[in-house]
């Protein structure tokens, strides 16, 4: 039985995570389109889209054959590791330890490397391969998130809907603007998605182990709040450490 | 062979970026599983310990990274 306490966060996590990945993939597809033409850019992206849809179709329903406790624990561990990776990086970026991702700079660098690759013939394997690789690499993360947050909780439909909505939104905006979406607050999105995926991961590991979450499924928003507080404290402390070290270095 | 290696490292990279963080989380998962007989009588404690451990490991990891300032990709 899927309820709003579960399907709401599933849809939101899938939508936001896919938004981040689609923005990153769009940067490369736009660069291919601008330098080598739209035919190879869209051919590569389309081929990757078909491959990713096949992965969801194969692995999504197939996971239901695995015993639930084992599935919850395994998916929970993977979600936790994936979410914590994003959350750690987002905290360190928010704290100023590592630089924020710059889509405009990535676009320029991609354009330069595509120009250096030489002229464009009638059939452009370089353009197709570049676009295919970018969409596949970013898309695999989306596929993992859709399957993980969807399959373990029996909410594959809202998870897929969130990802598809994000892909349509980013594609539409990107092709209207014809430039990378550098204004998207990517680190804030990664921060939010990291918190959500870490919460799902923790929840499913606990379910697999048989812990009793206070409030049942409603503990998911509680876990989100808990991780948000922990991450906010971490950002504050990281900024403090940075300031203290910079002052010490200056004196 | 090199393509398989590349695909393998891409997949591993989805979940592992900082080995210390991954090992810390894995150890805590094992600790919670190993102490199950102890907290099974009061399963709320298992839930709270699970979350608190993960949150503490994350905080320790980013504090360490901020102090080192170089352990980051």
């Amino acid at each position: 039985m899927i309820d709003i306490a579960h399907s709401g966060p599933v849809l939101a996590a899938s939508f936001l995570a896919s938004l981040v990945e689609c923005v990153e993939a769009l940067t490369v597809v736009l660069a291919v389109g601008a330098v080598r033409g739209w035919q190879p850019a869209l051919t590569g992206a389309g081929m990757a889209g078909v491959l990713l849809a096949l992965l969801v179709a194969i692995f999504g329903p197939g996971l239901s054959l695995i015993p639930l406790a084992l599935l919850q624990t395994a998916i929970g561990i993977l979600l936790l590791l994936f979410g914590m990776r994003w959350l750690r990086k987002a905290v360190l970026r928010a704290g100023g330890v590592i630089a924020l991702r710059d889509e405009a700079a990535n676009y320029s660098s991609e354009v330069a490397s595509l120009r250096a690759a030489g002229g464009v013939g009638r059939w452009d394997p370089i353009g197709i391969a570049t676009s295919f690789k970018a969409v596949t690499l970013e898309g695999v993360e989306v596929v993992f998130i859709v399957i993980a947050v969807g399959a373990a909780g029996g909410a594959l439909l809202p998870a897929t809907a969130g990802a598809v909505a994000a892909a349509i939104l980013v594609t539409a905006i990107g092709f209207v603007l014809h430039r990378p979406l550098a204004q998207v607050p990517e680190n804030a999105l990664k921060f939010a998605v990291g918190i959500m995926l870490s919460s799902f991961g923790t929840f499913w590991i606990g379910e697999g182990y048989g812990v009793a979450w206070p409030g049942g499924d409603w503990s998911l928003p509680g876990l989100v709040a808990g991780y948000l507080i922990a991450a906010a404290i971490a950002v504050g402390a990281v900024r403090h450490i940075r300031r203290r070290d910079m002052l010490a270095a200056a004196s | 062979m090199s393509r398989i290696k590349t695909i393998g490292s891409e997949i591993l990279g989805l979940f592992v970026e900082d080995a210390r963080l991954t090992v810390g989380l894995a150890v805590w998962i094992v600790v919670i599983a190993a102490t199950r007989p102890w907290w099974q009588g009061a399963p709320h404690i298992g839930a709270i310990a699970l979350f608190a451990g993960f949150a503490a490991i994350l905080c320790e990891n980013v504090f360490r990274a901020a102090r080192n300032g170089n352990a980051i990709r």
Side-chain angles (χ1 to χ4, degrees), chain A residues 17 20-21 82-90 141 190 193-194:
Chain A
V20 173
E21 299 300 341
F82 189 97
M84 282 287 190
R85 182 175 71 91
W86 277 33
L87 188 53
R88 172 183 181 272
K89 202 170 223 174
E141 298 198 35
K190 281 203 162 177
V193 174

Side-chain angles (χ1 to χ4, degrees), chain B residues 20-71:
Chain B
R20 188 182 288 270
L21 176 66
T22 307
V23 170
L25 295 171
V27 166
W28 191 242
I29 289 167
V30 171
V31 166
I32 293 292
T35 56
R36 191 172 172 174
W38 183 76
W39 54 257
Q40 214 160 22
H44 283 340
I45 290 179
I48 293 163
L50 195 63
F51 161 72
F54 292 151
I57 289 164
L58 172 71
C59 288
E60 188 280 333
N61 185 275
V62 292
F63 296 163
R64 181 189 295 272
R67 279 194 297 268
N68 293 343
N70 59 0

Side-chain angles (χ1 to χ4, degrees), chain A residues 23 40 63 67 135 137 144 171 182 247 250:
Chain A
V23 165
L63 287 179
V135 176
L137 286 179
F144 166 72
T171 306
L247 284 173

Side-chain angles (χ1 to χ4, degrees), chain A residues 8-212:
Chain A
V10 164
L11 195 136
S14 172
F15 177 79
L16 294 176
S18 305
L19 205 62
V20 173
E21 299 300 341
C22 289
V23 165
E24 293 179 5
L26 179 75
T27 300
V28 178
V29 175
L30 284 174
V32 173
V35 176
R36 309 195 67 95
W38 290 105
Q39 192 183 352
L42 296 178
T43 304
M47 285 163 60
V50 170
L51 175 68
L52 296 170
L54 278 174
L55 288 177
V56 174
I58 292 166
F59 290 109
L63 287 179
S64 62
L65 303 172
I66 300 172
L68 188 63
L70 180 64
L71 179 70
Q72 287 174 333
T73 308
I75 292 282
I77 290 169
L78 292 178
L79 269 178
L80 179 82
L81 295 178
F82 189 97
M84 282 287 190
R85 182 175 71 91
W86 277 33
L87 188 53
R88 172 183 181 272
K89 202 170 223 174
V91 166
L92 292 172
R93 280 182 171 149
V97 178
I98 49 176
L100 292 171
R101 194 181 154 90
D102 184 345
E103 285 307 321
N106 290 341
Y107 177 78
S108 302
S109 140
E110 198 65 49
V111 163
S113 102
L114 285 164
R115 284 204 173 118
V120 182
R122 187 174 160 79
W123 170 252
D124 182 16
I126 292 174
I128 293 172
T130 305
S131 180
F132 176 80
K133 188 180 167 192
V135 176
T136 303
L137 286 179
E138 304 301 343
V140 161
E141 298 198 35
V142 173
V143 167
F144 166 72
I145 292 164
V146 165
I147 290 175
V149 299
L156 203 55
L157 200 63
T160 307
V164 170
I168 290 171
L169 181 68
V170 170
T171 306
I173 294 174
F175 281 90
V176 168
L177 296 179
H178 267 160
R179 60 187 163 86
L181 307 185
Q183 304 303 316
V184 171
E186 195 171 339
N187 200 52
L189 287 174
K190 281 203 162 177
F191 194 91
V193 174
I195 285 171
M196 285 179 159
L197 297 186
S198 300
S199 302
F200 274 113
T202 306
F203 183 81
W204 291 126
I205 293 169
E207 288 284 294
Y209 280 0
V211 305

